Amino acid sequence: MIYALFYTFIGFMAMEFSGWFIHKYIMHGILWKIHKTHHAHTKGFFELNDLFSLLFASIAIVLIFLGIDRGDYRFWLGLGITIYGMSYFFLHDVLIHRRLKLFSKPKKGYLAGIFSAHQAHHYSKEKDGAVSFGLFIVPKKYFKNKGR
Ligand SMILES: [Zn+2]
Ligand SMILES: [Zn+2]
């Protein structure tokens, strides 16, 4: 059980850290053409940037299938990535960008902190000069002056 939790946690954390790296150096780098559809206001429900979600989802699906087949840790890694993807969807796409109008803007606590950190990321519509590339782990300063 500890084993399963450990690998699920590793899968989740690997997504936040590699996601930070990929976002900062690749999406705001060589793949900016795709990612900029998320920084510009585009019409319609889908953005070209959604391809990244599909890519990460397919990695998780492959790991889950391999893990079931061999009965090993890859299932749990894939599960961790899946949990990350679902949390990312609800926080980033639903709560922050309101692609589905389910929640209103959080006023205090952890959610308000990651909300303003991600808004700070979107202040820039350019490839260079953006800040705050992670989603769940963001600098402490975004949590200040909250909860008054
Ligand atoms: Zn970005
Ligand atoms: Zn965003």
Side-chain angles (χ1 to χ4, degrees):
M1 191 57 201
I2 290 288
Y3 166 91
L5 281 176
F6 173 75
Y7 280 106
T8 306
F9 180 72
I10 293 291
F12 187 97
M13 292 310 283
M15 285 302 289
E16 177 70 7
F17 286 105
S18 65
W20 178 88
F21 184 87
I22 291 167
H23 188 185
K24 188 174 167 91
Y25 293 105
I26 297 177
M27 293 160 85
H28 282 254
I30 193 167
L31 295 181
W32 173 245
K33 262 201 165 66
I34 297 176
H35 183 56
K36 76 174 180 198
T37 60
H38 181 58
H39 280 265
H41 290 286
T42 43
K43 283 189 196 128
F45 186 75
F46 290 105
E47 302 161 349
L48 197 55
N49 186 61
D50 294 335
L51 285 178
F52 288 110
S53 312
L54 280 184
L55 172 72
F56 293 130
S58 24
I59 294 171
I61 291 167
V62 169
L63 282 169
I64 287 173
F65 272 113
L66 289 174
I68 289 177
D69 202 40
R70 309 268 169 84
D72 66 15
Y73 68 97
R74 283 175 290 193
F75 173 82
W76 303 106
L77 278 183
L79 184 71
I81 296 174
T82 303
I83 294 171
Y84 185 89
M86 289 172 65
S87 324
Y88 195 96
F89 176 77
F90 277 107
L91 288 177
H92 175 260
D93 295 86
V94 180
L95 181 76
I96 299 176
H97 290 299
R98 309 204 76 217
R99 292 176 83 172
L100 305 173
K101 312 260 184 288
L102 293 180
F103 312 113
S104 52
K105 185 178 168 177
K107 292 197 175 49
K108 56 185 167 103
Y110 175 71
L111 290 181
I114 61 172
F115 195 104
S116 47
H118 194 71
Q119 273 190 326
H121 179 69
H122 277 278
Y123 286 152
S124 164
K125 305 256 178 284
E126 306 299 323
K127 178 178 167 200
D128 301 312
V131 295
S132 180
F133 292 89
L135 185 71
F136 295 94
I137 302 173
V138 299
K140 251 202 236 136
K141 64 177 179 193
Y142 295 109
F143 297 98
K144 283 183 185 146
N145 304 318
K146 298 284 180 217
R148 280 173 296 173

